[in-house]
Amino acid sequence: MLTHEGALHVLQAAVDRAAAMGTPQCVAVVDDSGSLLAFVRMDGAKVLSIQTAQRKALTAADRRSATGGLEPGHDLKLALVTEGRLTNLKGGLPIIVGGQVLGAVGVSSGSGEEDLEVAKAAVAAIPGAKTDW
């Protein structure tokens, strides 16, 4: 189970990586059901990225996989069917330990590659978490 303390640890790792990159980010951490546990909008991060970060985290938790990997055309269907709640944008990763999804992180406000880099750093803060994305 991902606790609030674990979520804050993940959040801090993301903030540290984003700050080192010079890319302010919105970061959302959710539990395995997609419920928000922790969130931060770093100074300078885009306001509209608040929802995007949360949607990336929800998508990664729900689909049990990284966001951004769907075939063209499926991403639009995913968005339409879920009324925009789920997304295929890069930057969402599930937190998987021992084959069990504990939660997920969603990062938004940079490029897709920057978001993904910050998400990877966040997940890596959990000992034993899957990091080969």
Side-chain angles (χ1 to χ4, degrees):
M1 177 173 140
L2 184 62
T3 65
H4 78 274
E5 290 177 351
L8 292 174
H9 184 67
V10 168
L11 189 71
Q12 188 61 57
V15 168
D16 291 346
R17 183 66 190 127
M21 293 169 56
T23 305
Q25 295 279 18
C26 291
V27 181
V29 183
V30 300
D31 65 14
D32 63 331
S33 72
S35 297
L36 188 64
L37 290 175
F39 177 82
V40 67
R41 177 177 167 252
M42 296 173 66
D43 296 339
K46 299 170 188 170
V47 173
L48 290 179
S49 291
I50 293 170
Q51 288 182 344
T52 306
Q54 292 177 1
R55 288 176 179 164
K56 288 179 182 183
L58 174 62
T59 302
D62 181 70
R63 296 186 51 82
R64 308 310 207 221
S65 63
T67 61
L70 291 178
E71 295 178 27
H74 286 94
D75 51 353
L76 181 57
K77 291 176 186 175
L78 176 69
L80 288 172
V81 168
T82 64
E83 297 179 349
R85 291 190 67 210
L86 301 183
T87 183
N88 189 43
L89 298 172
K90 288 183 182 180
L93 292 177
I95 300 168
I96 302 173
V97 177
Q100 179 76 23
V101 175
L102 304 182
V105 62
V107 180
S108 184
S109 200
S111 69
E113 294 304 321
E114 289 168 330
D115 296 351
L116 181 57
E117 183 175 340
V118 172
K120 286 179 178 181
V123 170
I126 299 292
K130 173 183 167 94
T131 57
D132 58 338
W133 300 104

